[in-house]
Amino acid sequence: MGSAVSKILSRPEGFEDLGKEEICRLLLSEGADKELLFSCADRIREHHVGNEVHLRGIIEFSNHCIKNCFYCGLRRDNDAAERYRMTADEIADAAVAGAQAGLKTIVLQSGEDPFFTADMLARLIARLKDEHDVAITMSVGDRTREEYALMRDAGADRYLLKHETADPEAFSRLRPGTTLDGRIRHLVWLKELGFQVGSGCMIGLPGQTADTLADDILLLKRLDVEMAGFGPFIPHGDTPLASCTGGDVDMTLKTLAVARIMLPFTHFPATTALGTIDPEGRQRALKCGANVVMPNITPVRYKKLYEIYPNKICINEEGSIQCLPCITGIIRQSGRSVATDHGHSRKPVHGKARPQG
Ligand code: SAH
Ligand code: SF4
């Protein structure tokens, strides 16, 4: 007699329509059942998106933020944070170094910083797209639909906006002045505007249960995202959640694995946050469904200051020169290869897998 988990994982009809109860069972699996889940996710990853790992070089160009998220070290009320903004030229230089090192996607991320108007961002996007053969992902938080449209029209390909938690009460408590419905509305706008959309959530936020994590996965499924990131919540000493317990490696990996089997064509990063709480975290994620890694190519003098959470890995290495060889090594040691294309969505369009490119 197989376990309940092994029964779920041997469903002939596949896993795309798993219900909440089944998801919870998988999230709570331990021992041999958990290993079965991981190997199932690994197999599905290989079958649907192959052995290549996509690199997305991230530039953290401003740590100013008008929001006050309880979990984040960049929150407005954290007076201990030393703030910086990179100039357009500094951002372009970092992007060029990344492109010359072979990166095919550049992610521009910041706190919510109105200093960077949508016009400024659009000019920057157009400049990078004009000069380099790269995909551009924006990750600058909540903006108006018109501002998103300006970025899209300027050539941005993707947008990363995590839903953070699908529990509406927790969302409003942890992100004062905002609602889960509002965040979802932003994600829908981004889809309508033609962005490939990345979302995701933190694992181990206070009050989170397997039940709410199942809602997180179901929301990602409903939004049909092109990418989803799962990072453990890591408490930051200068925030209201300083004394909370953070997320754990196993639950992060299980969430990733369940999401992979339910969204087989979606891109999933082996997150830096997971690599921060476990030196083997990213390697383990690559074996549980992940197919993306995001090297940090922010200039060293700034990346130390982008302290969303403490003890972030790789903050003393110059990104394109030092992080890239290291990450390439991790990928090869995991028996995988580094993708050389843009890593656009592989989700089927009209029933067919998208061509690579
Ligand atoms: N300001 C933008 C993008 C930067 S924040 C935004 O909020 O969308 C990038 C991500 O960092 C957030 O989406 C959140 O999931 C993550 N994050 C913030 N604080 C964290 C913490 N303490 N531990 C782990 N991840 C955190
Ligand atoms: Fe600002 Fe993003 Fe941090 Fe929230 S998570 S405080 S929006 S940087």
Side-chain angles (χ1 to χ4, degrees):
M1 263 274 290
S3 67
V5 165
S6 71
K7 273 194 199 124
I8 297 170
L9 295 177
S10 50
R11 277 165 47 125
E13 67 272 39
F15 313 111
E16 293 196 43
D17 62 346
L18 289 181
K20 192 158 169 180
E21 203 186 308
E22 292 158 315
I23 297 172
C24 286
R25 269 196 195 277
L26 295 178
L27 290 175
L28 295 171
S29 62
E30 293 296 341
D33 281 345
K34 183 182 72 183
E35 297 306 324
L36 201 61
L37 169 64
F38 290 166
S39 61
C40 180
D42 197 41
R43 205 172 56 243
I44 288 185
R45 183 270 310 154
E46 182 171 5
H47 182 75
H48 289 82
V49 294
N51 275 323
E52 292 194 326
V53 176
H54 301 280
L55 298 181
R56 323 285 204 206
I58 181 163
I59 303 172
E60 299 157 337
F61 65 90
S62 163
N63 70 353
H64 288 260
C65 193
I66 55 169
K67 287 259 169 67
N68 225 359
C69 307
F70 274 30
Y71 42 77
C72 178
L74 304 188
R75 66 197 305 270
R76 186 186 64 215
D77 287 354
N78 180 13
D79 296 331
E82 186 186 325
R83 309 283 174 171
Y84 71 89
R85 285 187 183 108
M86 288 171 65
T87 65
D89 284 341
E90 286 177 318
I91 301 169
D93 286 349
V96 173
Q100 282 172 348
L103 291 173
K104 290 289 183 189
T105 294
I106 302 293
V107 183
L108 300 181
Q109 190 178 82
S110 68
E112 287 198 13
D113 183 2
F115 172 87
F116 285 94
T117 62
D119 273 330
M120 283 165 73
L121 293 173
R123 274 198 300 277
L124 186 59
I125 294 163
R127 171 172 169 188
L128 298 181
K129 290 293 284 190
D130 205 39
E131 292 171 6
H132 304 284
D133 179 27
V134 288
I136 299 285
T137 303
M138 298 303 291
S139 180
V140 297
D142 295 335
R143 297 266 176 158
T144 64
R145 196 179 197 283
E146 290 68 31
E147 289 177 293
Y148 290 144
L150 272 175
M151 295 182 223
R152 177 77 185 127
D153 290 344
D157 301 272
R158 312 189 188 122
Y159 203 101
L160 192 55
L161 188 76
K162 293 196 178 182
H163 73 269
E164 314 295 4
T165 171
D167 173 347
E169 188 276 322
F171 188 100
S172 292
R173 183 164 31 86
L174 297 174
R175 298 179 51 89
T178 68
T179 63
L180 177 63
D181 278 351
R183 194 75 160 179
I184 293 173
R185 192 174 333 114
H186 284 81
L187 287 162
V188 170
W189 286 341
L190 291 164
K191 283 227 133 191
E192 288 169 357
L193 291 166
F195 284 99
Q196 295 170 46
V197 170
S199 195
C201 62
M202 277 173 280
I203 314 298
L205 286 171
Q208 191 177 57
T209 61
D211 203 69
T212 55
L213 267 178
D215 286 336
D216 284 309
I217 300 171
L218 288 167
L219 175 60
L220 294 167
K221 181 80 197 161
R222 180 157 67 83
L223 291 167
D224 195 23
V225 290
E226 277 75 33
M227 181 167 119
F230 303 105
F233 158 59
I234 305 175
H236 188 296
D238 299 317
T239 66
L241 302 187
S243 60
C244 289
T245 312
D248 77 87
V249 178
D250 256 18
M251 190 51 99
T252 307
L253 292 173
K254 286 189 279 187
T255 308
L256 164 65
V258 177
R260 164 58 73 196
I261 69 175
M262 291 187 68
L263 293 110
F265 288 101
T266 295
H267 290 304
F268 292 100
T271 55
T272 307
L274 189 57
T276 296
I277 63 164
D278 177 350
E280 292 291 309
R282 288 179 298 180
Q283 289 88 327
R284 294 176 69 185
L286 287 173
K287 293 186 165 64
C288 296
N291 70 324
V292 170
V293 180
M294 300 177 68
N296 187 336
I297 60 166
T298 312
V300 163
R301 64 186 178 286
Y302 297 125
K303 61 159 84 154
K304 295 183 205 317
L305 303 177
Y306 197 80
E307 203 188 71
I308 283 178
Y309 51 79
N311 306 320
K312 207 179 195 186
I313 48 171
C314 316
I315 54 163
N316 292 314
E317 281 83 35
E318 195 66 72
S320 297
I321 301 166
Q322 291 174 297
C323 291
L324 269 188
C326 167
I327 280 179
T328 305
I330 287 176
I331 292 168
R332 300 229 168 94
Q333 277 157 26
S334 304
R336 308 275 281 281
S337 56
V338 178
T340 52
D341 63 9
H342 291 100
H344 287 309
S345 171
R346 300 293 316 282
K347 281 194 339 207
V349 182
H350 308 303
K352 286 200 212 128
R354 277 186 198 230
Q356 293 273 37

